């Protein structure tokens, strides 16, 4: 079997209402889907980076090769290394997932059977929600929204902070009061603070029984993370924009954070598998970030199903519930949490186990790039 | 394609048969007791589940190396590809051989040798490694001080067993690249020796850790700037596996005369053998001799 063509579909979908976080407001959701075709009629899909300039200027690194060369292709598509540096960063995570999809379909096996030892058939999601809306009273608005998510059966919620210490304490306190003590609650500052501010704010957060604090400071402020790790009793989480190489060297090996959150659109399944082993060995919780379509969600379910429980913490990942016209629309299957136990089933069909709807992709597509 | 039967022939040839008619061969220990109790860990599964099988056998305390090599042989044969192309990114199609010898006069043609005892350690234009285990760190320090002028390529297993503190002491006092050998279990090796950069090199036996294990190590060793050297007994299957493993190990640097990746062999291979290019491990069809020592699966 040989790869014959790669198509990159850039999608955009307008939101009904804008939402915001510490860095920005958004009124549109976007996605990059990678479609890989083969000479045997099997097509694979991924959601994420596609190889960029490296693929466009060297299509032979993919076209004409077997999808079973997935590891080699992942490393071949790394960006050129900076001068005096060893290897460049990977650039083809989405394409990587598409190749795993093809390999699974060709073998008639779900990706979870091929990645490694499957430990879970059902995975725990946490609900990403509670971005900012145009509320006159953010605390009241967030509290109301939190109650709605709990009513739907969600057991762990993650909300946005990073609007200044006083505002953050007010809104988190309001949400905690609204949902009670038994629902898990985490906060995400999207790198809003410096470590001095974070350590003071963290002291207040400690009183609110939070499961983790995501991205309190810049991801590469390593000294800052060391300080927060020493001073705060809240588990720290980070890593959503970083490669597997970077995360392993800077977060996992030094145990700098308790939770790492790589996203499949950056690390791919090949990078994800490399991460899983060392995280498990070091007792670091691997809890993937997920801000994509359900093609990405499916990939993350397969990936996380091979990750063992750490410190009695079950395998868990981000289940984005914010508004997105694209997320569910592009696949035929539904990926839903069972409210009875708060888990999601790992797909069991071949490959990723989801089928893409070409018409939906076309509906939201703003740009198409074809290679091969 | 499903695995239907596993057999072991003397001395340690592992044969795996499938319902597609393909047969894969590996070499090394086989976890017979574990497989007898839980044949479903392998029988009836696809060879492409090699990673899962490796992890499940390891989790059950079994050594998966021999079986793992056979599964990679099957995967390559099934796809019509040499193993190195599906194992990782191939960086080379020839690999420098490093025979393991007792004296420096042996292997006169080879550009890399591993001596099995400290003695005459120098030969010009030859990379010389040492595999010798001292009684303890004190003795290792004494020997090491005498060896420092020899410009050793590596000193493998200088002290017994799993002893990170001992290695740390040697590293702080000796100016010799230290190598952890195959006797350190894989997880311990990664956690205590590789990610901490406690050693400069790791030597791993393909028959023990298999190609799945070597692939995990290849990435992690690169990540933490530790050199990885596969080793084998020198049999055709073991040598082929070591060559495929060495083919996908990232280079040490981008320098023109970068130190080579090499493999250590118990036999006397060519100076720089080619990585097999036939499907699978690329070893010629094997005809196991005699009755199998162990068989699992097969037609009832």
């Amino acid at each position: 079997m040989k790869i014959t063509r790669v198509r990159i579909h850039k999608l955009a979908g307008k939101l009904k209402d804008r939402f915001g976080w510490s860095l920005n407001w958004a009124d549109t959701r976007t996605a990059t889907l990678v479609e890989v075709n083969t000479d045997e009629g099997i097509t694979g899909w991924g959601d994420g980076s596609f190889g960029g300039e490296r693929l466009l200027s060297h299509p032979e690194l993919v076209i004409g090769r077997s999808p079973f060369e997935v590891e080699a292709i992942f490393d071949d598509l790394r960006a050129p290394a900076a001068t005096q540096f060893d290897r460049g960063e990977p650039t083809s995570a989405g394409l990587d997932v598409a190749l795993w999809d093809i390999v699974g379909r060709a073998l008639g096996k779900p990706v979870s059977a091929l990645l490694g030892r499957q430990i879970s058939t059902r995975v725990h999601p946490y609900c990403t929600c509670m971005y900012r809306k145009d509320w006159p009273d953010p605390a009241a608005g967030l509290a109301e929204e939190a109650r709605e998510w709990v009513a739907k059966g969600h057991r762990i919620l993650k909300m946005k902070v990073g609007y200044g210490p006083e505002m953050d304490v007010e809104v988190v306190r309001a949400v905690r009061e609204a949902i009670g003590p038994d629902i898990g609650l985490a906060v995400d500052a999207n790198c809003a603070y410096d470590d001095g501010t974070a350590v003071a704010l963290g002291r207040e957060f400690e009183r609110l029984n939070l499961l983790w604090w995501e991205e309190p400071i810049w991801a590469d402020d390593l000294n800052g993370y060391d300080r927060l790790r020493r001073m705060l009793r809240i588990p720290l989480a980070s890593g959503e924009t970083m490669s597997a190489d970077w995360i392993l060297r800077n977060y996992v090996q030094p145990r700098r954070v308790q939770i790492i959150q790589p996203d499949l659109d950056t690390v791919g399944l090949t990078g994800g598998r490399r991460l899983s082993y060392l995280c498990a060995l070091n007792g670091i919780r691997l809890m993937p970030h997920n801000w994509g379509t359900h093609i990405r969600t499916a990939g993350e379910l397969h990936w996380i199903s091979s990750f063992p429980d750490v410190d009695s913490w079950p395998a868990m990942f981000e289940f984005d519930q914010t508004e997105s016209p694209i997320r569910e629309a592009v696949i035929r299957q539904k990926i839903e949490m069972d409210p009875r136990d708060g888990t999601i089933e790992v797909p069991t069909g071949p490959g990723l186990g989801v089928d893409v709807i070409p018409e939906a992709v076309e509906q939201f597509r703003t740009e198409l790039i074809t290679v091969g | 394609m499903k695995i239907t039967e596993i057999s072991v022939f003397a001395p340690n040839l592992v044969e795996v048969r499938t319902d597609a008619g393909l047969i894969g061969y590996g070499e090394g220990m086989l976890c017979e007791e574990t497989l007898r109790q839980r044949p479903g860990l392998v029988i009836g599964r696809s060879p492409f589940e090699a990673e899962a099988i490796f992890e499940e056998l390891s989790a059950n305390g079994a050594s998966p190396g021999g079986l793992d090599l056979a599964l990679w042989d099957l995967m390559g044969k099934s796809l019509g590809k040499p193993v190195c192309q599906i194992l990782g990114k191939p960086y080379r199609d020839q690999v420098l051989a490093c025979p393991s010898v007792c004296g420096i006069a042996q292997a006169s043609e080879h550009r890399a040798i591993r001596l099995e005892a400290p003695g005459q350690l120098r030969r010009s234009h030859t990379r010389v490694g040492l595999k010798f285990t001292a009684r303890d760190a004190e003795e290792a320090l004494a020997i090491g001080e005498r060896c420092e002028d020899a410009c050793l390529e590596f000193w493998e297993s200088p002290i017994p067993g799993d002893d990170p503190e001992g290695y740390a002491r040697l590293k702080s006092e000796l100016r010799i690249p230290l190598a952890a050998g195959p006797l350190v279990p894989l997880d311990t090796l990664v956690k205590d020796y590789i990610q901490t950069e406690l050693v400069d090199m790791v030597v791993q036996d393909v028959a023990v850790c298999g190609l799945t294990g070597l692939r995990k190590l290849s990435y992690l060793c690169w990540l933490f700037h530790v050199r990885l050297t596969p080793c084998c007994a020198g049999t055709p299957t073991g040598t082929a596996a070591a060559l495929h493993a060495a083919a996908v190990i990232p280079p040490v640097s981008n320098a023109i005369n970068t130190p080579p990746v090499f493999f250590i062999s118990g036999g006397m291979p060519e100076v720089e053998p080619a990585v097999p290019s036939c499907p699978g491990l690329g070893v010629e069809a094997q005809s196991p001799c005699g009755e199998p020592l162990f068989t699992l699966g097969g037609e009832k």
Side-chain angles (χ1 to χ4, degrees):
Chain A
M1 177 169 23
K2 289 189 173 34
I3 298 164
T4 52
R5 185 179 69 176
V6 176
R7 296 208 298 172
I8 298 103
H9 307 262
K10 301 218 174 180
L11 313 188
K14 210 94 169 101
L15 301 177
K16 289 195 217 100
D17 300 304
R18 71 172 191 163
F19 58 71
W21 62 103
S22 67
L23 301 175
N24 210 344
W25 286 85
D27 60 8
T28 305
R29 292 292 295 263
T30 60
T32 300
L33 300 186
V34 186
E35 175 192 356
V36 179
N37 308 121
T38 65
D39 60 357
E40 290 188 16
I42 299 177
T43 293
W45 286 86
D47 172 351
S49 56
F50 65 89
E53 266 313 305
R54 185 90 174 125
L55 173 65
L56 296 176
S57 48
H58 293 283
E60 73 282 359
L61 290 176
V62 178
I63 306 301
R65 290 178 84 168
S66 162
F68 285 85
E69 295 175 58
V70 57
E71 288 249 351
I73 291 172
F74 183 82
D75 284 327
D76 276 337
L77 288 177
R78 285 177 179 262
T83 307
Q84 313 298 56
F85 276 71
D86 187 350
R87 280 205 278 190
E89 294 287 357
T91 68
S92 60
L95 190 150
D96 180 76
V97 173
L99 295 183
W100 278 98
D101 191 20
I102 293 171
V103 167
R105 288 173 188 274
L107 296 172
K109 297 258 169 214
V111 165
S112 52
L114 307 172
L115 267 184
R117 177 183 171 214
Q118 185 173 12
I119 295 175
S120 316
T121 56
R122 301 191 70 90
V123 174
H124 293 260
Y126 70 84
C127 170
T128 283
C129 52
M130 293 188 276
Y131 279 65
R132 285 303 171 83
K133 300 275 176 60
D134 289 306
W135 294 304
D137 180 347
L142 287 166
E144 178 58 32
E145 184 181 330
R147 278 189 283 268
E148 288 168 6
W149 291 115
V150 172
K152 288 178 182 167
H154 289 279
R155 289 158 168 74
I156 299 178
L157 311 179
K158 185 179 80 177
M159 62 182 289
K160 291 297 182 183
V161 294
Y163 288 82
E166 205 175 307
M167 169 63 79
D168 282 356
V169 172
E170 181 190 337
V171 298
V172 176
R173 200 174 274 151
V175 168
R176 175 50 83 199
E177 280 171 23
I179 63 177
D182 298 329
I183 296 294
L185 182 61
V187 296
D188 179 0
N190 290 108
C191 313
Y193 295 117
D194 61 280
D195 60 289
T197 307
V199 81
L201 175 54
R203 193 166 164 273
E204 299 299 317
F205 278 166
E206 282 176 351
R207 299 190 176 113
L208 296 166
N209 189 21
L210 298 178
L211 291 179
W212 70 84
W213 188 358
E214 182 170 327
E215 294 202 308
I217 57 180
W218 286 120
D220 61 350
D221 181 0
L222 302 182
N223 287 336
Y225 269 105
D226 286 338
R227 182 184 180 189
L228 296 181
R229 183 94 159 86
R230 268 195 324 273
M231 304 289 288
L232 297 180
R233 289 192 300 269
I234 307 171
L236 302 172
S238 188
E240 67 189 54
T241 58
M242 301 311 200
S243 69
D245 305 344
W246 194 97
I247 289 171
L248 287 170
R249 281 184 177 139
N250 294 291
Y251 283 159
V252 175
Q253 186 275 328
R255 294 197 182 94
R256 188 163 266 126
V257 297
Q258 291 93 331
I259 301 168
I260 62 146
Q261 298 173 304
D263 198 307
L264 205 63
D265 78 334
T266 306
V267 302
L269 286 167
T270 297
R273 179 164 70 177
R274 292 170 178 176
L275 272 164
S276 298
Y277 175 53
L278 205 63
C279 285
L281 220 50
N282 283 291
I284 303 277
R285 283 179 243 158
L286 173 61
M287 215 159 65
H289 181 269
N290 178 18
W291 187 248
T293 67
H294 272 339
I295 297 171
R296 193 183 308 182
T297 304
E300 298 210 346
L301 286 166
H302 286 283
W303 173 24
I304 202 71
S305 75
S306 66
F307 200 70
D309 294 356
V310 171
D311 295 333
S312 306
W313 193 261
M316 188 177 291
F317 80 122
E318 178 170 27
F319 195 45
D320 167 35
Q321 295 294 284
T322 47
E323 186 194 344
S324 170
I326 306 173
R327 184 175 53 235
E328 286 94 4
V330 293
I331 64 167
R332 289 191 204 286
Q333 291 83 358
K334 294 244 177 263
I335 297 184
E336 292 173 323
M337 182 195 70
D338 185 339
R340 292 172 298 180
D341 64 1
T343 65
I344 299 177
E345 186 184 28
V346 178
T348 55
L352 292 181
V354 295
D355 301 309
V356 173
I357 304 172
E359 297 78 16
V361 172
E362 205 172 311
Q363 177 192 349
F364 292 105
R365 191 169 62 210
T366 58
E367 185 184 350
L368 174 65
I369 302 169
T370 301
V371 180
Chain B
M1 173 168 58
K2 288 187 175 41
I3 298 164
T4 53
E5 185 178 310
I6 303 170
S7 300
V8 178
F9 296 86
N12 57 1
L13 184 72
V14 178
E15 178 187 271
V16 178
R17 291 177 176 266
T18 66
D19 60 357
L22 288 175
I23 305 175
Y25 289 98
E27 169 187 292
M29 305 288 289
L30 187 72
C31 32
E32 289 153 27
E33 194 47 46
T34 304
L35 289 176
R36 248 189 269 274
Q37 290 172 11
R38 300 182 61 191
L41 280 179
V42 184
I43 302 298
R45 292 179 86 167
S46 163
F48 286 90
E49 294 176 63
E51 186 99 12
I53 292 170
F54 179 93
E55 289 173 6
E56 287 165 23
L57 289 175
S58 301
N60 279 277
S63 175
L67 176 65
D68 186 74
L69 296 187
L71 297 185
W72 277 97
D73 191 28
L74 280 168
M75 285 194 268
K77 285 171 175 169
S78 166
L79 295 170
K81 293 209 168 276
V83 162
C84 60
Q85 288 187 12
I86 54 174
L87 185 63
K89 175 181 155 92
Y91 289 93
R92 56 196 67 82
D93 51 22
Q94 280 181 276
V95 184
L96 194 66
C98 176
S100 198
V101 294
C102 295
I104 207 158
Q106 296 173 271
S108 56
E109 301 290 314
H110 288 77
R111 302 201 300 276
I113 58 175
R114 181 180 75 176
L115 289 179
E116 291 173 358
Q120 185 197 357
L121 294 177
R122 269 195 130 137
R123 190 171 84 191
S124 64
H125 307 302
T126 304
R127 295 173 182 274
V128 178
L130 174 66
K131 182 182 176 206
F132 177 80
T133 304
R135 210 172 38 239
D136 52 32
E138 289 301 331
E139 188 185 49
L141 282 170
I143 294 170
E145 277 161 22
R146 296 198 298 272
C147 294
E148 278 186 337
D149 288 340
C151 297
L152 283 176
E153 187 78 4
F154 61 90
W155 185 2
E156 180 187 336
S157 303
I159 50 177
D162 172 16
D163 183 3
E165 282 177 14
Y167 273 89
R169 188 168 166 215
L170 298 184
K171 185 176 179 181
S172 69
E173 298 192 39
L174 292 176
R175 286 160 294 185
I176 300 174
L178 302 176
L183 294 181
V184 181
L186 184 66
D187 288 354
T188 305
L189 188 66
V190 171
K191 196 170 174 210
D192 297 337
Y193 292 80
I194 294 175
Q195 70 170 0
T196 55
E197 300 182 44
L198 184 59
V199 292
D200 306 287
M201 182 185 285
V202 159
V203 177
Q204 278 294 288
D205 190 335
V206 291
V208 172
C209 73
L211 287 168
T212 299
L214 272 163
R215 178 170 65 184
K216 287 184 202 284
L217 286 173
S218 181
Y219 171 69
L220 292 169
C221 283
W222 164 78
L223 195 67
F224 295 110
H225 314 294
V226 174
R227 295 170 71 180
L228 175 61
T229 300
C231 75
C232 64
T235 58
T237 303
T239 301
L243 283 166
H244 284 288
V248 302
I249 293 173
V252 172
S253 83
N254 293 328
I256 295 170
N257 286 325
T258 188
V261 168
F262 51 84
F263 76 101
I264 294 171
S265 172
M268 194 60 64
E270 300 167 35
V271 172
E272 198 163 4
V275 179
S277 56
C278 297
L281 289 176
V283 183
E284 282 181 17
Q286 316 235 358
S287 302
C289 296
E291 291 298 310
L293 305 174
F294 167 82
T295 297
L296 189 75
E299 290 181 13
K300 303 276 182 225

